[in-house]
Amino acid sequence: MLDIQNIGVAYGQRRIIESLTVEGLAAGTVTCLLGPNGSGKSTLLKALAGLNKIAPGSSIRLDGQELSRASFETRARQVVYVPQALPAAVHLRVFESVLVAANASLPGQRAGGVDVPTVQSLLERLGVGHLSLRYIDELSGGQKQLVGLAQALIRKPRLLLLDEPLSALDLNYQFHVMDLLSQETRENGLVTIIVLHDLNIALRHADYALMIRQGDLFAHGSPSAVITPHALAQVYGVRARVEPCSRGVPQVMIDGLEAHVG
């Protein structure tokens, strides 16, 4: 269970998130973080990862433990963050990089139970098993994104934070990855939070949704309760319909721009 209380984040004198509270994000669920560019999504994710300093009085509790007061080692074991822009690739083979990530989950120790078949199986499930002996710096952007996801999942964190993990993937891999993330989240009891721009993917694949506007929580709940014509007008400035497709799955259709957003 993840509880976020009164979290505030600033860059210098500029306050990005004033006071945001979300409680009861349950293990085994995928939460999508929605909002327009510049609304504070990545800032919030980095704060949860411990990469952004949070304001006094803020609280981030995972299974009752205050993460802001946890040691680096404890946080490294429990929280994994995958940024939108991946770091410059090192000259490692894909397989080696995932094995290194597995050992990083237990600083100073060997990662028990992580062997060659385990790593290869995860790469196969992500659809990149054939790349296991390729060097990371030779891969395309989408392939690197999938390898980064493998490096995160192999560590089996309690809290998995993904900033736009689908941005470089084609339609096939987008669907494939979201299915796999849902499965991994349920089977391993993760709290998974994903920044998404594709609202239809959120409606289809997420269990819970948080919609942010200018650093404030505008709405939260099931994706179908959060992604509404009113919310899309107020937060994104678009006139839109949310209607079921022939299979009953809600779909967002944009009709135009709102004259004013208020």
Side-chain angles (χ1 to χ4, degrees), residues 10 15 153 160 199 206 230:
R15 194 79 164 193
L153 290 173
L160 178 61
L199 301 177
H230 172 73

Side-chain angles (χ1 to χ4, degrees), residues 33-139:
L33 190 54
L34 309 173
N37 294 333
S39 59
K41 303 183 300 298
S42 295
T43 297
L44 175 60
L45 219 61
K46 289 177 183 177
L48 297 177
L51 301 176
N52 280 340
K53 185 178 180 180
I54 58 178
S58 302
S59 174
I60 304 169
R61 298 180 70 85
L62 181 62
D63 296 334
Q65 179 183 30
E66 181 59 53
L67 285 180
S68 62
R69 293 196 290 269
S71 67
F72 173 82
E73 290 78 10
T74 298
R75 200 156 186 159
R77 283 195 299 267
Q78 297 189 25
V79 183
V80 170
Y81 165 71
V82 180
Q84 178 181 351
L86 296 176
V90 295
H91 194 61
L92 280 177
R93 297 184 192 275
V94 168
F95 183 91
E96 293 171 326
S97 75
V98 178
L99 198 58
V100 167
N103 283 277
S105 65
L106 293 171
Q109 304 177 45
R110 296 189 65 183
V114 179
D115 51 19
V116 169
T118 300
V119 174
Q120 191 62 34
S121 173
L122 177 58
L123 292 173
E124 295 289 349
R125 292 172 66 197
L126 280 165
V128 290
H130 62 292
L131 301 176
S132 61
L133 297 181
R134 291 272 301 277
Y135 286 100
I136 296 178
D137 51 7
E138 298 173 350
L139 303 182

Side-chain angles (χ1 to χ4, degrees), residues 87-205:
V90 295
H91 194 61
L92 280 177
R93 297 184 192 275
V94 168
F95 183 91
E96 293 171 326
S97 75
V98 178
L99 198 58
V100 167
N103 283 277
S105 65
L106 293 171
Q109 304 177 45
R110 296 189 65 183
V114 179
D115 51 19
V116 169
T118 300
V119 174
Q120 191 62 34
S121 173
L122 177 58
L123 292 173
E124 295 289 349
R125 292 172 66 197
L126 280 165
V128 290
H130 62 292
L131 301 176
S132 61
L133 297 181
R134 291 272 301 277
Y135 286 100
I136 296 178
D137 51 7
E138 298 173 350
L139 303 182
S140 69
Q143 290 169 336
K144 290 176 184 175
Q145 212 161 21
L146 291 167
V147 173
L149 189 54
Q151 293 169 355
L153 290 173
I154 199 69
R155 294 173 62 181
K156 297 189 182 299
R158 299 289 298 126
L159 176 59
L160 178 61
L161 307 168
L162 305 171
D163 196 349
E164 296 192 46
L166 310 181
S167 60
L169 304 182
D170 61 33
L171 293 175
N172 182 293
Y173 272 112
Q174 287 179 16
F175 195 96
H176 177 75
V177 164
M178 288 304 299
D179 262 2
L180 178 63
L181 282 173
S182 296
Q183 181 180 343
E184 289 284 323
T185 297
R186 289 193 304 270
E187 291 181 357
N188 295 297
L190 311 183
V191 178
T192 298
I193 303 178
I194 307 177
V195 173
L196 290 176
H197 277 297
D198 192 319
L199 301 177
N200 289 321
I201 287 178
L203 283 164
R204 177 180 287 272
H205 292 281

